[in-house]
Amino acid sequence: MSKDCLTMDKLVSHCKTVGFVYPGSDIYGGLANTWDYGPLGVELKNNIKRSWWKRFVQESANTYGVDAAILMNSRVWEASGHTASFSDPKMDCKECKTRYRADNLIEEHSKGAVNPDLMTNEQMEAYIEEHHINCPRCGRHNWTPIRQFNMMFSTSRGVTDEGQDLIYLRPETAQGEFVNFLNVQRTTRAKVPFGIAQIGKSFRNEITPGNFIFRTIEFEQMEHQWFCHAADSAKYYDEYKQKAWAYLIDLGFDPNELRFKDHDKLAHYAAAACDIQYLFPIGWSELNGVHNRTDYDLSRHQEYSGKSMQYLDPTTGERYVPSVVEYSIGCDRLLLATLCAAYDEEQLEGGDTRVVMHFHPYLAPYKVAVLPLQKNLGDKAREVYSALAKHFMCTYDEAGSIGKRYRRQDQIGTPMCVTIDFDTLADDTVTVRDRDTMEQIRLPIADLVAHVGSKVEFY
Ligand code: GAP
């Protein structure tokens, strides 16, 4: 194992070369902070979403999914506070006109030792002056004052040019869950406590220092709101911290590369908040958040919509606005962490190196590669491929030596390679090679579906 070798640049290059992630609008020179998922990336992403949904909806009692519209009534964002205060402290270099987040400049300069979340704009300006932080692009020191920029993307709707309404691309999926609290509770007859979960796109006009898909302007979130009585919210907050942690461990993350980090500064409505951070090649950074949001969200929607968000407890007769424990994780960010955790360069006997992605088999883009030892075994190999493809994402490769073909599958993380040889024609058995151990076993073709199925489960 030599994981220290992984840099973000190396990962970006590997992802582009094999087809996980490409720069957005590539042939036009790209568009900053946008990325496209290629044939492998889309499989990996779908599998991540499936694993999350399985864990947090399918296997979670009293939890229901929604898929709310990206465009919502603008009053939603007034109620949530995004219109007034969803902003970043930005400053421009007067020399080269590049725009930066002041908090990012301070964080990077102090290598994480200073927390700019605890500073006012004036304090940040003073820090940048005092420490003579220069423009990372042109190296000069001539800054505008810090200004707050709202991060919501706006657009307009209407059938005529006059009377256009300003609307926003949602900056988080969470509001889709809050505004459907009454609908879901009524239609499912759920009793509090219950959960609403959603996976979907969010949009933020972020200025970022690069870092691949860590922070992008368009991304997917997997968010889960647990509606409960205020008296129970601390207990559920702890429970969701543990559930969030267990999910990552069960996906194969090394606990030494994860840590909890309590927020230094709580939002005025939050009773508690923490992140799970992952040790990315750029250092410890947020992977997901867990928040005890009190009854702020439903109370605000009650105030702005005029609809009562109160729940009548059928057992105690108590009426109250439920509190919310939120667990939120970026799908793209989890995908990035998954790529980082899986990437390995192994030294082999004889001096060779192999690049191998040790994905959890459930997440691997292809579960099986079917490889005929020689091209004239193609008919039998295609037969095996078609039988397996009814159950799993499979790939087929007949080009090059078998060793080269194994390496190609290793570098995209395919957990099993099934090789068809001349014995296969005689006895209907195949060789199955394991990605991680490189060990091979001989199996009847009739047992393949059950064998592969048992290796790619996620519990
Ligand atoms: N509803 C709460 C919320 O949206 P957040 O901390 O702003 O909280 C939750 O976002 C998660 O979404 C983060 O932990 C991160 O994984 C992901 N995320 C946030 N902004 C992102 C961005 N610009 N690009 C990629 N992922 C992002």
Side-chain angles (χ1 to χ4, degrees):
M1 294 274 226
S2 60
K3 301 209 56 182
D4 297 345
C5 57
L6 185 64
T7 61
M8 208 60 115
D9 286 346
K10 191 182 268 189
L11 190 65
V12 173
S13 158
H14 181 67
C15 286
K16 187 172 176 186
T17 308
V18 300
F20 281 107
V21 186
Y22 312 122
S25 317
D26 203 8
I27 59 169
Y28 288 95
L31 173 68
N33 300 325
T34 65
W35 298 87
D36 294 342
Y37 289 94
L40 300 176
V42 70
E43 295 302 330
L44 178 59
K45 197 171 186 196
N46 284 340
N47 294 338
I48 287 176
K49 288 192 269 189
R50 254 194 292 273
S51 73
W52 190 87
W53 198 261
K54 181 172 186 288
R55 177 60 60 92
F56 289 97
V57 181
Q58 184 181 327
E59 295 173 6
S60 290
N62 227 12
T63 300
Y64 306 90
V66 294
D67 184 9
I70 287 173
L71 301 172
M72 304 179 83
N73 189 310
S74 294
R75 294 277 288 162
V76 169
W77 307 113
E78 287 169 32
S80 67
H82 283 81
T83 315
S85 58
F86 190 56
S87 56
D88 273 343
K90 305 222 170 115
M91 61 198 309
D92 296 342
C93 168
K94 286 190 199 163
E95 305 292 339
C96 70
K97 313 289 179 223
T98 308
R99 182 164 288 172
Y100 295 94
R101 276 177 58 172
D103 50 344
N104 284 348
L105 288 174
I106 293 173
E107 242 172 10
E108 268 156 43
H109 180 268
S110 70
K111 301 207 173 3
V114 174
N115 183 355
D117 289 351
L118 303 174
M119 294 169 141
T120 61
N121 284 357
E122 291 68 33
Q123 286 169 328
M124 283 194 272
E125 281 174 3
Y127 185 96
I128 286 166
E129 278 313 302
E130 206 177 299
H131 293 82
H132 210 78
I133 301 179
N134 294 336
C135 170
R137 182 153 177 240
C138 72
R140 283 173 285 185
H141 185 89
N142 189 7
W143 297 109
T144 62
I146 295 174
R147 282 172 298 160
Q148 293 294 138
F149 278 87
N150 196 293
M151 291 203 293
M152 284 199 291
F153 280 107
S154 61
T155 184
S156 55
R157 75 162 299 201
V159 282
T160 59
D161 277 349
E162 305 86 51
Q164 298 272 341
D165 290 331
L166 186 67
I167 53 175
Y168 299 96
L169 302 188
R170 68 181 174 201
E172 62 171 12
T173 56
Q175 298 304 322
E177 289 130 78
F178 298 137
V179 302
N180 278 297
F181 166 74
L182 292 179
N183 284 336
V184 172
Q185 196 275 322
R186 278 194 203 120
T187 49
T188 62
R189 299 182 308 284
K191 292 197 176 73
V192 170
F194 72 92
I196 302 183
Q198 173 168 217
I199 299 178
K201 288 258 182 180
S202 295
F203 303 82
R204 295 182 190 179
N205 198 353
E206 304 260 18
I207 291 187
T208 82
N211 293 336
F212 197 23
I213 52 172
F214 181 81
R215 195 181 297 285
T216 49
I217 56 177
E218 175 184 343
F219 55 99
E220 274 187 277
Q221 288 183 306
M222 308 191 285
E223 296 204 284
H224 182 290
Q225 316 297 333
W226 186 249
F227 299 94
C228 60
H229 193 287
D232 299 327
S233 63
K235 174 183 85 177
Y236 288 123
Y237 173 72
D238 286 338
E239 206 170 280
Y240 272 90
K241 277 176 68 175
Q242 297 317 321
K243 279 183 93 162
W245 182 271
Y247 170 62
L248 297 171
I249 299 301
D250 293 344
L251 284 181
F253 280 93
D254 177 348
N256 296 314
E257 294 178 354
L258 297 171
R259 69 180 187 193
F260 282 109
K261 175 84 175 64
D262 285 332
H263 285 198
D264 293 327
K265 189 170 141 192
L266 289 179
H268 63 276
Y269 52 83
C274 72
D275 297 334
I276 293 179
Q277 296 184 328
Y278 173 69
L279 189 53
F280 289 94
I282 50 171
W284 287 103
S285 308
E286 174 184 346
L287 180 53
N288 72 231
V290 182
H291 301 148
N292 181 347
R293 301 178 60 98
T294 67
D295 65 357
Y296 174 80
D297 305 284
L298 292 186
S299 296
R300 291 281 288 193
H301 285 303
Q302 175 169 274
E303 183 187 338
Y304 279 71
S305 69
K307 296 273 187 314
S308 170
M309 296 287 158
Q310 286 199 330
Y311 171 74
L312 172 62
D313 188 311
T315 320
T316 64
E318 186 187 1
R319 265 183 203 283
Y320 61 93
V321 174
S323 288
V324 168
V325 171
E326 176 184 73
Y327 156 54
S328 174
I329 182 162
C331 180
D332 311 76
R333 197 165 297 175
L334 178 55
L335 189 144
L336 176 60
T338 303
L339 288 167
C340 296
Y343 186 93
D344 200 4
E345 287 173 16
E346 278 180 13
Q347 295 302 322
L348 301 175
E349 281 170 29
D352 266 6
T353 305
R354 72 164 184 156
V355 171
V356 52
M357 302 296 284
H358 292 287
F359 294 126
H360 186 299
Y362 186 89
L363 299 186
Y366 297 121
K367 309 305 179 206
V368 183
V370 178
L371 317 173
L373 202 56
Q374 291 185 9
K375 280 195 181 152
N376 58 4
L377 293 164
D379 288 348
K380 188 68 183 174
R382 291 220 168 263
E383 207 181 281
V384 172
Y385 173 85
S386 301
L388 287 171
K390 289 192 196 316
H391 301 267
F392 313 106
M393 277 304 294
C394 301
T395 181
Y396 185 90
D397 189 1
E398 59 181 22
S401 73
I402 194 71
K404 279 211 179 96
R405 283 184 271 166
Y406 284 153
R407 293 288 169 274
R408 277 204 285 270
Q409 296 308 320
D410 290 342
Q411 63 175 354
I412 64 173
T414 308
M416 282 158 278
C417 288
V418 168
T419 307
I420 315 298
D421 54 26
F422 287 102
D423 289 343
T424 311
L425 300 182
D427 62 6
D428 262 351
T429 63
V430 291
T431 300
V432 183
R433 181 239 189 209
D434 181 275
R435 174 196 68 198
D436 298 332
T437 62
M438 294 187 278
E439 277 166 15
Q440 304 189 5
I441 54 170
R442 196 85 195 166
L443 275 185
I445 291 173
D447 294 350
L448 269 183
V449 169
H451 177 77
V452 175
S454 71
K455 299 274 179 194
V456 300
E457 282 163 350
F458 173 65
Y459 295 114

